[in-house]
Amino acid sequence: SQMKSAIAKFAQKVTDAGTDTIALLYYAGHGVQIDGTNYLVPVDANVNTAGDVVLGAVSATDLLKTLELARAKVNVLVLDACRNNPFKSNTRGFSRGLARVEAPPGSIVAYATAPGQVAADGDGNNSPYAEALSRNLATPGLALESIFRQVRIEVSDKTEGAQVPWEET
């Protein structure tokens, strides 16, 4: 409920900021794919089965719809949640990595790695993706597409091609 409340507050701030706003939401944590639907799992969620996830997590599709309804000029959803499934691997419906989500008009959905793949945690405080993203977001004058292209190049180089970030627009 705290995660859903935080999303609602963010969406209201986006709405209040007006239609010229660029909304960027970065999610780092557990994300799982169940039957082609991505779920963002709160850190304190008690989930062991697919049913627990459906009831206790936030659907990425619902999150995108919430952002779309906030009416920003551009919505950017960054999912740094493409890790191995932390739950019972034999649970029916769970799949590796996250599923491809079609971005609504005016949106960019960025993934730490390609759909169905698993992202590296890295050796330091942040993942290779988080490091590259934070560095490139701070570069003045870069268009969003250029930022994500540069992140993809840096992460792919750092992981020797094992991880290739992905975007849907």
Side-chain angles (χ1 to χ4, degrees):
S1 65
Q2 288 177 333
M3 185 173 173
K4 290 177 182 179
S5 176
I7 292 167
K9 286 178 185 175
F10 177 75
Q12 186 60 54
K13 286 182 180 183
V14 171
T15 299
D16 293 346
T19 56
D20 284 339
T21 300
I22 296 175
L24 187 146
L25 195 147
Y26 175 85
Y27 176 81
H30 287 302
V32 296
Q33 175 189 166
I34 301 172
D35 295 330
T37 300
N38 296 325
Y39 294 91
L40 311 179
V41 183
V43 294
D44 61 348
N46 184 17
V47 294
N48 295 302
T49 68
D52 293 340
V53 172
V54 171
L55 292 173
V58 174
S59 155
T61 303
D62 291 347
L63 176 54
L64 279 167
K65 187 62 175 179
T66 301
L67 291 176
E68 185 180 9
L69 292 170
R71 302 196 184 275
K73 184 176 186 177
V74 176
N75 291 308
V76 182
L77 175 59
V78 179
L79 298 174
D80 191 1
C82 313
R83 305 292 189 276
N84 275 326
N85 176 5
F87 311 113
K88 295 177 183 177
S89 60
N90 61 351
T91 300
R92 194 179 75 148
F94 282 107
S95 298
R96 177 184 162 106
L98 294 179
R100 179 177 176 244
V101 173
E102 223 172 283
S107 299
I108 297 173
V109 180
Y111 303 86
T113 193
Q117 299 301 308
V118 176
D121 285 327
D123 299 327
N125 290 332
N126 295 306
S127 69
Y129 183 77
E131 288 176 1
L133 183 63
S134 64
R135 184 172 38 259
N136 284 283
L137 281 173
T139 305
L142 278 182
L144 280 172
E145 292 83 3
S146 298
I147 290 169
F148 288 116
R149 182 175 45 249
Q150 188 59 36
V151 167
R152 187 169 40 258
I153 291 167
E154 289 179 24
V155 172
S156 181
D157 286 350
K158 184 165 186 166
T159 63
E160 297 177 347
Q163 179 179 338
V164 180
W166 188 272
E167 301 84 44
E168 296 285 337
T169 59

